[in-house]
Amino acid sequence: NNIGKNEQDLWLQDEFRHEWADCTYAEVHTGHLHQEILFSEKGGITKRTNPTLKIIDKYEHDHAWSSKKVVLAYLWHKESNLREIFYLK
């Protein structure tokens, strides 16, 4: 499913109405970019981009792109939301 950037903020509410009504926290996690980014909190959804695990290739090197090459693990608490982000190499 290819969702445009403008539609990403509302797809959870539209596609999963019953689940949305019951949820306390909503986050959308995407990948591909070479750095961690907290985009925005819009419409009750936090959007995060996680860094890539991929090894830098020639094209990326030639464009001076780098990568943390880490896995992010998120720890949520039922009542106090996001508690910790772990950076696993």
Side-chain angles (χ1 to χ4, degrees), residues 54-70:
K54 176 180 167 316
I55 296 171
I56 299 297
D57 61 26
K58 181 177 179 352
Y59 179 84
E60 293 158 340
H61 179 269
D62 291 347
H63 287 84
W65 295 346
S66 63
S67 176
K68 291 181 182 177
K69 290 191 289 184
V70 303

Side-chain angles (χ1 to χ4, degrees), residues 17-75:
R17 292 180 189 275
H18 298 290
E19 293 85 351
W20 179 258
D22 291 336
C23 78
T24 304
Y25 311 110
E27 292 208 9
V28 174
H29 294 242
T30 61
H32 178 70
L33 299 179
H34 293 267
Q35 67 265 358
E36 174 187 9
I37 300 171
L38 173 60
F39 276 107
S40 65
E41 296 187 26
K42 182 177 180 184
I45 300 174
T46 301
K47 293 174 21 180
R48 299 179 190 272
T49 296
N50 297 311
T52 183
L53 292 173
K54 176 180 167 316
I55 296 171
I56 299 297
D57 61 26
K58 181 177 179 352
Y59 179 84
E60 293 158 340
H61 179 269
D62 291 347
H63 287 84
W65 295 346
S66 63
S67 176
K68 291 181 182 177
K69 290 191 289 184
V70 303
V71 172
L72 301 181
Y74 300 90
L75 175 64

